Amino acid sequence: MKTVLFACVHNAGRSQMAAAWFNALTDPSKARAISAGTQPGPGVHPEVLVTMTEVGIDLSAAKPQRLTDELASQATLLVTMGCGEVCPVVPGLRREDWPLEDPKGKPVERVREIRNEVRARVADLVSREGWAAARRDEDIRP
């Protein structure tokens, strides 16, 4: 079982969307995703909740958590999204950086674009690694 850790600053937008998309598109016997932030916020951004609900993903119960060395050490891959040098360095941990705009406070139209970009990047990762669920990822609305 592989674990992918998606990390951003507040764990209230990009990383929450990425983990949710990953878990929706991935065969759970092959991999799973968690998310965290370097400075976790109090909750998922309202505009993120709205746009993810539009595609059938409910993040209302998601709680931002702090990105720690211990949490990072459980991962196979760390995908950073704007936390830069603050993200922990774990020897042997693969790392990718996805420069994505923070959706906080953006108009819903822009948040939808960010959501769709996150989905595309996640779908590409899942495909590259061979972790796709038996159902087609087209079954999950973009």
Side-chain angles (χ1 to χ4, degrees):
M1 165 70 76
K2 305 293 183 180
T3 299
V4 176
L5 173 56
F6 292 97
C8 64
V9 177
H10 300 288
N11 189 218
R14 297 164 287 190
S15 58
Q16 290 284 353
M17 287 190 284
W21 279 125
F22 187 93
N23 289 328
L25 299 172
T26 304
D27 178 338
S29 70
K30 294 179 180 177
R32 70 181 182 104
I34 54 177
S35 67
T38 55
Q39 299 169 18
V44 176
H45 302 312
E47 54 273 25
V48 170
L49 292 172
V50 168
T51 59
M52 291 302 284
T53 299
E54 290 174 351
V55 294
I57 297 176
D58 180 8
L59 290 177
S60 62
K63 302 285 184 233
Q65 66 176 328
R66 181 168 305 283
L67 175 59
T68 64
D69 291 343
E70 181 181 333
L71 191 60
S73 70
Q74 299 172 28
T76 307
L77 171 64
L78 171 62
V79 179
T80 58
M81 305 173 179
C83 56
E85 298 303 314
V86 183
C87 288
V89 175
V90 177
L93 179 62
R94 285 179 39 213
R95 188 169 173 170
E96 289 186 22
D97 183 59
W98 296 354
L100 294 163
E101 184 178 354
D102 187 350
K104 182 179 181 182
K106 302 287 188 292
V108 71
E109 297 80 16
R110 180 65 190 127
V111 178
R112 285 182 187 123
E113 292 170 357
I114 295 166
R115 174 200 67 202
N116 294 343
E117 183 178 351
V118 169
R119 183 190 185 281
R121 287 176 179 262
V122 168
D124 178 65
L125 171 63
V126 168
S127 176
R128 278 188 283 133
E129 297 295 331
W131 294 333
R135 67 186 179 278
R136 296 185 340 231
D137 67 355
E138 291 82 11
D139 294 337
I140 307 293
R141 291 180 285 165

